[in-house]
C-alpha cells in the first residue's frame, strides 16, 4: 500500500478523479437542478393560490436559492412595466447566462477536459521516463530486469493517457447533453411565460411585449450569423 501511495501515477489518477468529480458537482448537477426547477415552474405558471394570486408572482417561484434573486428582479421590473404600459422581456432576466452558464461555472467546465487530457500526457511521460531510467543492457540479468521495468513504465504511460482521454470525453459528452436539454427546457419556459404573462397585460403593453420579443429573437438570430 505504501509503495502504491508513493507512486506518481497513483496521484495522477487521484487528481483526475478529483477534477472529474468537481466538474460533475460544479458544472453538471447545478444545471440539472435548474432544469428541474424550470420544468416544475412551467407546470405552475397558470395556477392560482388560495389568495387568488398566480404562483409565479411569488419571489421563490423557481424554488432555487440561486435563481430566486433573478426571479425577484424580473417581478420587480414586470410590476414597474405594467404601471407604465411598457414591455418587460423575460429573456432579459431568465436566459442561458443566468440559468445555465453562471450556475454551471462554464469557464471551469470548459477547462476540465483539457486538464484531464494534460494529466494523461504527464502520466505518459512519467511512465516512459520511469521505464527508461532503469534501462541497463550490459548483462543478460540486467537486461531482463530492465525490459520488465520498461514494460511496466509503458503500461503506466498508456493507462494514464487512456484514462485521461476517456474521462475528458465522457465529461464533455455529459456536459454538452446537459446544456442542450437545459436550453430546450429554458426555451419552453420562456415561451410559456410570455404566453401566460401577456394574457394579463393591457392591449398596449401586450403589443409592446410582442414587439420586444420579436426584436429579441431577431437579435439572437443575428448574433448566430457569420460575420
Amino acid at each position: 500500500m505504501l509503495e502504491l501511495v508513493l507512486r506518481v501515477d497513483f496521484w495522477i489518477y487521484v487528481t483526475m478523479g478529483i477534477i472529474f468529480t468537481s466538474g460533475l458537482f460544479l458544472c453538471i448537477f447545478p444545471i440539472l437542478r435548474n432544469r428541474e426547477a424550470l420544468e416544475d415552474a412551467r407546470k405552475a405558471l397558470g395556477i392560482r393560490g388560495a389568495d387568488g394570486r398566480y404562483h409565479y408572482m411569488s419571489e421563490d417561484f423557481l424554488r432555487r436559492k440561486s435563481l430566486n434573486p433573478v426571479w425577484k428582479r424580473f417581478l420587480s421590473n414586470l410590476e414597474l412595466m405594467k404601471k407604465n404600459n411598457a414591455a418587460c422581456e423575460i429573456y432579459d432576466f431568465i436566459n442561458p447566462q443566468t440559468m445555465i452558464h453562471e450556475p454551471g461555472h462554464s469557464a471551469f467546465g470548459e477547462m476540465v477536459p483539457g486538464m484531464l487530457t494534460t494529466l494523461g500526457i504527464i502520466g505518459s511521460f512519467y511512465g516512459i521516463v520511469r521505464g527508461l531510467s532503469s534501462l541497463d543492457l550490459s548483462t543478460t540479468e540486467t537486461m531482463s530486469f530492465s525490459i520488465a521495468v520498461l514494460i511496466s513504465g509503458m503500461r503506466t504511460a498508456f493507462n494514464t493517457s487512456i484514462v485521461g482521454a476517456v474521462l475528458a470525453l465522457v465529461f464533455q459528452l455529459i456536459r454538452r447533453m446537459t446544456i442542450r436539454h437545459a436550453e430546450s427546457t429554458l426555451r419552453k419556459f420562456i415561451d410559456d411565460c410570455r404566453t401566460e404573462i401577456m394574457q394579463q397585460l393591457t392591449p398596449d403593453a401586450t403589443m409592446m411585449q410582442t414587439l420586444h420579443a420579436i426584436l429579441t429573437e431577431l437579435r439572437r438570430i443575428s448574433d448566430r450569423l457569420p460575420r
Side-chain angles (χ1 to χ4, degrees), residues 158-177:
F158 284 120
N159 287 345
T160 52
S161 293
I162 291 172
V163 171
V166 169
L167 288 179
L169 180 61
V170 169
F171 179 83
Q172 201 163 13
L173 288 175
I174 293 175
R175 183 169 178 267
R176 287 185 178 180
M177 290 177 60

Side-chain angles (χ1 to χ4, degrees), residues 77-150:
N77 190 265
L78 176 64
E79 189 64 29
L80 180 62
M81 294 299 102
K82 280 184 178 180
K83 294 179 180 178
N84 297 298
N85 279 337
C88 177
E89 175 51 49
I90 188 171
Y91 189 83
D92 294 337
F93 302 89
I94 308 297
N95 51 55
Q97 185 64 28
T98 58
M99 296 291 107
I100 299 174
H101 299 300
E102 288 182 2
H105 302 88
S106 286
F108 179 70
E110 293 172 358
M111 292 171 57
V112 168
M115 289 190 290
L116 292 172
T117 304
T118 300
L119 284 171
I121 294 173
I122 292 174
S124 295
F125 284 119
Y126 163 72
I128 294 172
V129 171
R130 178 186 168 198
L132 295 176
S133 62
S134 301
L135 190 61
D136 184 358
L137 305 179
S138 57
T139 64
T140 304
E141 292 182 357
T142 58
M143 183 184 300
S144 300
F145 176 77
S146 297
I147 291 175
V149 174
L150 180 61

Side-chain angles (χ1 to χ4, degrees), residues 206-223:
T206 300
M207 182 179 67
M208 292 295 296
Q209 186 85 1
T210 304
L211 290 174
H212 197 286
I214 293 173
L215 290 174
T216 301
E217 189 64 28
L218 289 174
R219 183 180 61 191
R220 290 171 58 190
I221 295 174
S222 176
D223 290 340

